Amino acid sequence: MTRLHLIPLAPLLGAAICLVGARALRRTTVHVVACGSVLSAFLFSISAFVAIRHGGELREDAFTWIAAGDLRVGAAFLFDHLSGTLALVITGVGFLIHVYSTGYMHDDPSYARYFGYLNLFTGSMLVLVLADSLPLMFVGWEGVGACSYLLIGFWFHKQENADAGRKAFLVNRVGDAGFLLGIFVLWTFTGALDFAGLRANVDALGAPWLGGFSAATWAAALLFVGATGKSAQLPLYVWLPDAMAGPTPVSALIHAATMVTAGVYMVARLGFLYALAPAVLFAVAACGAATALYAATIGFAQTDIKRVLAYSTISQLGFMFLGVGAGEAEAGLFHLVTHAFFKACLFLGAGSVIHAMGGRQDVADMGGLRKKLPLTHATFLVATAAIAGVPPLSGFFSKDEILAAALHAHPALFAAGLLAAACTAFYMTRLYCLVFTGECRADAHVQAHLHESPPSMTIPLVVLAALAAVAGLPRLHFDPIVGGASVFATVVGVFVAARLYWGGAKPAARHFSATFPRLYSAVLHKYRVDEIYDFLLVRPLKGLAFVLHEVMDRRLIDGLGVHAGPQIASGLGWIARRLQNGDVQRYAALMAAGAAVIVYLALGGA
């Protein structure tokens, strides 16, 4: 039987070798170690999945990790259909991204460090999904958060990259605080933190508690706060667009197969808890629907190819939460899998375009690239059609299941989801047209050097495009009414975008922007949410920090508590030095003066 600890251990060992031997290892050795460790984890995952193909689960309890009072937490791993599916996606897509990186990062001087971080990221995500308890899940949860900071700010010599890494780290700390509080509530009421123990004692969470809400409601809500941070949902989504500062394969890994799906997985894993909190479950669906629609509209006006895909990821994660919150966890997880394929293909395709364009990411400089990058174009087109929901590609089937669940839960959720689907078709068709159709708008120097990417980059694209095309075939059934509505929304989105952007931005598109300049500016600047957060949160917190530092710390604590004592001692020493200067006559005078004072006081007292 497969030893489950080998699945996360393989990439973690790869990370250790790459990071410790960063200066000594040859690039070929780094390739073998980094890619081989993830491939090994993929093969271990396949072996475990075969073992449970007829149902059941595998569990491995290595040792007691935490022993404090009544609290006992083991370093235990669980491999069932849910965690196994995620493990296969993480290692399978992760391996392709590692292979792609060997070409994309070939000339980077910090080659070994990059692959060490990439392996560490993969290992942390595997710990997260295979953990059999919330504390161990939290270790993986924090691990991917730390790795995201390291990878987003990988090129730390650029200030914007360092700022983006810090932003991701800090925003996720807000969500993680909610996650921890949710764990504390569960332990208080159930006395268990492993999933089997929580499920067995879940009834203890049903009684009314704080504010008239049950402990289950509070725990589910607090844990979902953590999910909104990690999976970039309203209002904690603001870190994800800035995560584009990292290398493009990092964007693919974060957005497609690892970190951002953690929140969806956590809600699905704790489905028995959320079943006791229907109000929170509806809030999950509503938040997902709102995020899906909101982020999709921002994609209308973005000009950075990676930023369009970033807001697309936020929107698609909203679809996943809509499915999970609507009571169909399998629908949300099905979309998670299909999204991993087409979004990884899109990001890596964008990386191939950026590679060919000499690092340029603005779609205003692109156009006509289907002639120069035929493989990249073909794979990008398949992935675009899949995410837009064109049948019979995978995205059509996964979105259909989510929309059907939304319609059953509440008509408003269905309407928001359907509108978001139309918006998805629009902004992805717009992106495709601006990048690949018409004539190239780049300067002559860039056009002269346009070329297809090497096989190390194009082969992963072909594999991912094939998976994006066929991943929905095992679930060919769909709701005719919902499917028809979904196809209609897709056709409308594709048709309008093609009329406005095929061959480049048409006069009608520029006329619309000129007619509604405030609306266009609002969408282009992402509704200025970052500026609002800066005004409402960042500046007041900086002001408070300044007051605490200057007034409380330097003036009061340092001034009175630290500096005042030495200053008083120094003053007394100065006086003593003036009095005790070795002048005998002065000593005699002082003694006489002192005696006179004593006699005076004695006579006055008499």
Side-chain angles (χ1 to χ4, degrees):
M1 183 177 66
T2 301
R3 294 183 179 273
L4 297 181
H5 69 275
L6 295 178
I7 299 175
L9 183 61
L12 292 177
L13 283 176
I17 294 171
C18 290
L19 293 175
V20 172
R23 297 187 178 183
L25 296 176
R26 298 176 60 185
R27 291 184 177 241
T28 304
T29 306
V30 174
H31 290 176
V32 173
V33 171
C35 298
S37 64
V38 180
L39 178 60
S40 299
F42 179 60
L43 296 176
F44 290 142
S45 299
I46 291 177
S47 176
F49 208 88
V50 169
I52 65 165
R53 64 186 183 278
H54 298 305
E57 62 185 37
L58 300 176
R59 192 176 185 278
E60 180 184 7
D61 196 344
F63 57 88
T64 299
W65 172 40
I66 299 175
D70 295 331
L71 178 61
R72 293 289 186 276
V73 178
F77 295 105
L78 174 67
F79 195 101
D80 57 8
H81 183 76
L82 176 57
S83 60
T85 301
L86 268 291
L88 287 173
V89 170
I90 293 164
T91 54
V93 177
F95 171 69
L96 294 173
I97 292 172
H98 276 70
V99 172
Y100 179 96
S101 296
T102 62
Y104 191 86
M105 300 294 289
H106 183 268
D107 297 324
D108 196 280
S110 299
Y111 196 77
R113 177 169 63 90
Y114 168 82
F115 278 99
Y117 290 165
L118 218 60
N119 271 189
L120 186 61
F121 199 123
T122 305
S124 298
M125 190 65 192
L126 288 170
V127 170
L128 190 156
V129 300
L130 294 176
D132 193 31
S133 66
L134 283 172
L136 190 57
M137 176 186 280
F138 190 69
V139 171
W141 191 276
E142 289 299 287
V144 293
C147 291
S148 69
Y149 165 75
L150 296 171
L151 285 167
I152 293 169
F154 179 76
W155 290 318
F156 54 83
H157 56 279
K158 300 179 181 179
Q159 185 62 42
E160 63 270 21
N161 293 32
D163 291 341
R166 282 194 296 269
K167 184 176 183 180
F169 192 80
L170 292 173
V171 172
N172 273 277
R173 297 294 72 74
V174 177
D176 295 350
F179 192 102
L180 274 177
L181 290 173
I183 293 176
F184 297 157
V185 172
L186 291 176
W187 164 251
T188 300
F189 282 87
T190 67
L193 289 177
D194 64 290
F195 298 128
L198 288 170
R199 189 179 288 105
N201 296 281
V202 73
D203 291 340
L205 299 167
W209 182 47
L210 193 61
F213 297 102
S214 67
T217 299
W218 279 103
L222 289 168
L223 290 168
F224 181 61
V225 171
T228 60
K230 199 66 69 183
S231 294
Q233 297 295 283
L234 290 168
L236 299 180
Y237 72 93
V238 291
W239 66 272
L240 193 58
D242 291 356
M244 298 301 95
T248 300
V250 170
S251 302
L253 193 64
I254 291 176
H255 287 241
T258 56
M259 180 174 169
V260 294
T261 61
V264 180
Y265 170 77
M266 184 271 294
V267 174
R269 172 59 71 190
L270 296 175
F272 58 88
L273 169 65
Y274 282 87
L276 292 179
V280 177
L281 201 59
F282 183 81
V284 171
C287 180
T291 303
L293 182 56
Y294 169 82
T297 61
I298 297 179
F300 287 178
Q302 302 307 305
T303 57
D304 185 305
I305 185 172
K306 288 175 65 178
R307 196 166 287 273
V308 174
L309 296 178
Y311 281 102
S312 169
T313 297
I314 298 171
S315 179
Q316 297 306 305
L317 287 165
F319 272 105
M320 297 175 207
F321 278 109
L322 173 58
V324 173
E328 291 292 337
E330 283 198 12
L333 292 169
F334 180 32
H335 194 60
L336 185 156
V337 174
T338 61
H339 175 262
F341 298 143
F342 55 66
K343 184 53 61 68
C345 186
L346 289 169
F347 264 112
L348 297 185
S352 181
V353 169
I354 294 167
H355 178 77
M357 293 288 295
R360 292 165 177 80
Q361 298 181 193
D362 195 334
V363 295
D365 297 330
M366 299 178 188
L369 298 186
R370 70 181 185 277
K371 302 172 185 176
K372 296 289 186 179
L373 312 175
L375 266 178
T376 300
H377 163 256
T379 55
F380 198 95
L381 178 60
V382 171
T384 298
I387 192 175
V390 174
L393 303 180
S394 60
F396 166 75
F397 295 103
S398 57
K399 280 189 181 180
D400 178 80
E401 289 194 15
I402 290 174
L403 291 174
L407 180 61
H408 180 74
H410 198 284
L413 297 177
F414 172 75
L418 191 64
L419 186 56
C423 292
T424 301
F426 177 86
Y427 69 70
M428 285 306 306
T429 304
R430 169 185 176 270
L431 180 65
Y432 168 80
C433 292
L434 291 176
V435 174
F436 292 103
T437 66
E439 299 298 325
C440 186
R441 297 176 292 277
D443 57 56
H445 175 75
V446 172
Q447 292 192 43
H449 291 83
L450 286 173
H451 61 281
E452 184 60 275
S453 299
S456 60
M457 296 170 64
T458 54
I459 291 175
L461 286 174
V462 172
V463 174
L464 288 167
L467 291 170
V470 305
L473 296 182
R475 304 170 70 118
L476 284 173
H477 62 278
F478 61 93
D479 185 301
I481 297 177
V482 173
S486 176
V487 170
F488 177 75
T490 298
V491 169
V492 170
V494 170
F495 177 77
V496 174
R499 287 294 301 269
L500 294 177
Y501 294 102
W502 188 270
K506 301 292 187 183
R510 292 190 289 269
H511 177 71
F512 180 88
S513 303
T515 306
F516 304 98
R518 291 187 178 181
L519 176 61
Y520 176 76
S521 177
V523 175
L524 179 64
H525 294 95
K526 303 152 290 187
Y527 301 112
R528 301 193 182 276
V529 171
D530 281 317
E531 289 82 354
I532 294 171
Y533 279 13
D534 183 68
F535 178 76
L536 295 178
L537 297 174
V538 177
R539 292 185 185 181
L541 287 174
K542 283 185 176 180
L544 178 61
F546 177 81
V547 171
L548 292 176
H549 174 256
E550 290 294 328
V551 178
M552 298 296 294
D553 191 36
R554 293 188 61 185
R555 306 296 181 187
L556 296 179
I557 297 175
D558 288 349
L560 297 179
V562 178
H563 298 150
Q567 288 175 352
I568 292 171
S570 177
L572 294 174
W574 183 86
I575 295 172
R577 286 196 302 273
R578 294 298 180 272
L579 296 176
Q580 303 292 332
N581 61 357
D583 188 343
V584 178
Q585 291 179 341
R586 180 175 295 183
Y587 292 167
L590 289 174
M591 289 175 63
V597 170
I598 292 172
V599 170
Y600 173 77
L601 292 174
L603 294 176

